[in-house]
Amino acid sequence: MSDHTQPDPTPYAEIEAVLCDEFAGIHSATTVTRCVEAAHYGALEVTGYAHPSLVERIARKHLHVLALVASERG
C-alpha cells in the first residue's frame, strides 16, 4: 500500500472549478477560492447553513463585483 494519500477535496471543489472556468482570464484560481470561502462563511453567519447553491451564487456575485472594480480602475 502507498503511504501517499490525497487530501479530501473541499466540499465546494466543483463550484470552484465552474467559477474558475467562468472567470478565466479575469480572476485567478486563488481569487475564486477566496471568494468561495468568503461566501461559505458569510452564508453560515447569516443563515446558519451554507448550501452549495447559495455559496455558488454569493461567490459569483463577489467575483462580478471584483471584476467591475478592476475594470473601473483601468
Side-chain angles (χ1 to χ4, degrees), residues 10 16-17 19-20 28-39 59 63:
T10 68
E16 287 180 28
L19 293 174
C20 279
S28 68
T30 302
T31 300
V32 171
T33 298
R34 284 193 344 243
C35 285
V36 170
E37 289 172 354
L63 293 163

Side-chain angles (χ1 to χ4, degrees), residues 16-74:
E16 287 180 28
V18 167
L19 293 174
C20 279
D21 286 345
E22 185 175 331
F23 289 93
I26 300 168
H27 296 303
S28 68
T30 302
T31 300
V32 171
T33 298
R34 284 193 344 243
C35 285
V36 170
E37 289 172 354
H40 166 82
Y41 290 112
L44 282 176
E45 189 173 308
V46 173
T47 67
Y49 184 70
H51 191 275
S53 65
L54 177 60
V55 170
E56 182 176 0
R57 288 194 325 260
I58 294 169
R60 183 174 281 112
K61 292 211 184 267
H62 287 180
L63 293 163
H64 280 294
V65 169
L66 288 174
L68 178 63
V69 169
S71 72
E72 288 180 354
R73 288 185 181 168

